[in-house]
Amino acid sequence: MRTPLIAGNWKMYKNINEAAELATTLKNVLKDVAADKAEVAICPPFTDLQVVSAVIKGTNIRLGAQNMYAAQEGAFTGEISPLMLRSAGVHYVILGHSERRQYFKETNEDINKKIKMAIEHSLFPILCVGEKLEERENGTTFNVIKTQLTGCLAGIPKDKIGSIVVAYEPIWAIGTGKTATPDQAQEVHKFIRETLVSLYDQVTADAVRIQYGGSVKADNAKTLMNMPDIDGALVGGASLKADSFEAIVKFYK
Ligand code: PGA
């Protein structure tokens, strides 16, 4: 049984006060979500990690970061290391988000290094993959996803795959209000699982959680989450307000 993971990606929103307020509200409204039904994580910007960590301490809500650098420490001005994330109480780290790939030119090779370094420091990567609109339209979705998965997971042994969550986020659905239909999403999730079988084996692939992301809202979450290979959601816009995030999480209560 895979426990679904609902993670809120706050992106570059919320100052320290706003983050503390949202985390406090979430802590109160989500306190009776059964841990075996769903796992909940929130991923605020770096500057909010410490305050959010203090607010959610002792609850079932886990803390995630949105990126990290693939080195323990060093002269890398402006970067944040896995050790720093650990010391701020971080559990998950989103890696390879399409906005990082698009605006900051991160490659599968860069993401692969980050995943390895994250695992080495006991962080749990949420690896994002997804195709652009033109790739979907020209029929190359599966090739793109396969290239991303094989590149990002290169050299990662079977016994470490259990700490990785994959998030399928079609780029054309992110922040656009356009969601993949449950069938479109399921088709790719199934393909991701089959690719994991070919890279590892059936038992390993069956244990990996694959989240869907891209304009997930309360009104579309349920049908998406009912699909057999969809194990939760990576939520952007709808995670910035307690009521809309709560409404998504509540499907699992
Ligand atoms: P969205 O973002 O829910 O606002 O589409 C999802 C994401 O980018 O993780």
Side-chain angles (χ1 to χ4, degrees):
M1 246 311 266
R2 298 182 295 264
T3 306
L5 171 64
I6 321 295
N9 173 11
W10 293 4
K11 306 196 178 185
M12 200 175 72
Y13 292 99
K14 307 287 177 194
N15 64 28
I16 291 177
N17 293 336
E18 293 162 343
E21 195 183 317
L22 177 55
T24 305
T25 312
L26 288 174
K27 166 175 140 167
N28 293 330
V29 296
L30 298 179
K31 62 177 178 297
D32 48 348
V33 175
D36 58 334
K37 293 240 173 88
E39 203 186 321
V40 178
I42 48 181
C43 309
F46 289 136
T47 48
D48 299 337
L49 287 173
Q50 209 181 344
V51 71
V52 171
S53 176
V55 171
I56 62 177
K57 200 169 177 192
T59 71
N60 284 334
I61 304 174
R62 300 227 199 234
L63 187 63
Q66 300 171 20
N67 185 28
M68 55 156 249
Y69 191 66
Q72 249 176 240
E73 61 180 4
F76 301 106
T77 302
E79 295 296 326
I80 304 283
S81 84
L83 292 177
M84 293 165 184
L85 295 183
R86 283 297 307 272
S87 73
V90 168
H91 180 87
Y92 288 110
V93 56
I94 299 173
L95 294 174
H97 190 280
S98 63
E99 286 150 17
R100 303 277 337 152
R101 294 176 189 260
Q102 184 182 351
Y103 303 125
F104 304 98
K105 307 289 170 246
E106 283 189 19
T107 63
N108 291 326
E109 207 182 351
D110 297 328
I111 299 157
N112 177 247
K113 284 191 193 136
K114 291 184 181 194
I115 293 177
K116 286 178 175 159
M117 187 59 81
I119 293 174
E120 194 179 316
H121 292 284
S122 310
L123 290 164
F124 293 75
I126 297 177
L127 163 63
C128 300
V129 297
E131 82 286 3
K132 300 186 184 120
L133 182 59
E134 70 254 35
E135 292 164 340
R136 174 154 285 266
E137 286 174 348
N138 67 24
T140 54
T141 298
F142 286 175
N143 295 345
V144 170
I145 301 288
K146 191 168 189 171
T147 304
Q148 290 174 338
L149 278 176
T150 45
C152 294
L153 297 177
I156 296 173
K158 193 169 92 164
D159 64 325
K160 299 287 186 216
I161 286 298
S163 46
I164 296 179
V165 175
V166 178
Y168 168 56
E169 299 205 302
I171 297 172
W172 47 271
I174 295 178
T176 57
K178 245 195 210 178
T179 327
T181 64
D183 288 336
Q184 276 176 326
Q186 168 57 25
E187 185 186 34
V188 180
H189 280 237
K190 184 164 171 279
F191 176 77
I192 291 173
R193 207 171 300 286
E194 284 163 4
T195 306
L196 293 173
V197 173
S198 70
L199 292 174
Y200 299 97
D201 57 42
Q202 189 75 51
V203 175
T204 307
D206 280 344
V208 174
R209 291 179 294 177
I210 308 172
Q211 299 177 294
Y212 171 79
S215 298
V216 174
K217 308 269 181 295
D219 59 1
N220 57 31
K222 194 169 188 175
T223 46
L224 284 161
M225 304 310 141
N226 278 340
M227 302 309 275
D229 286 292
I230 302 186
D231 310 309
L234 184 54
V235 185
S239 72
L240 294 172
K241 288 211 175 100
D243 55 355
S244 48
F245 192 59
E246 180 198 1
I248 295 168
V249 174
K250 288 266 158 96
F251 288 126
Y252 295 97
K253 267 184 71 174

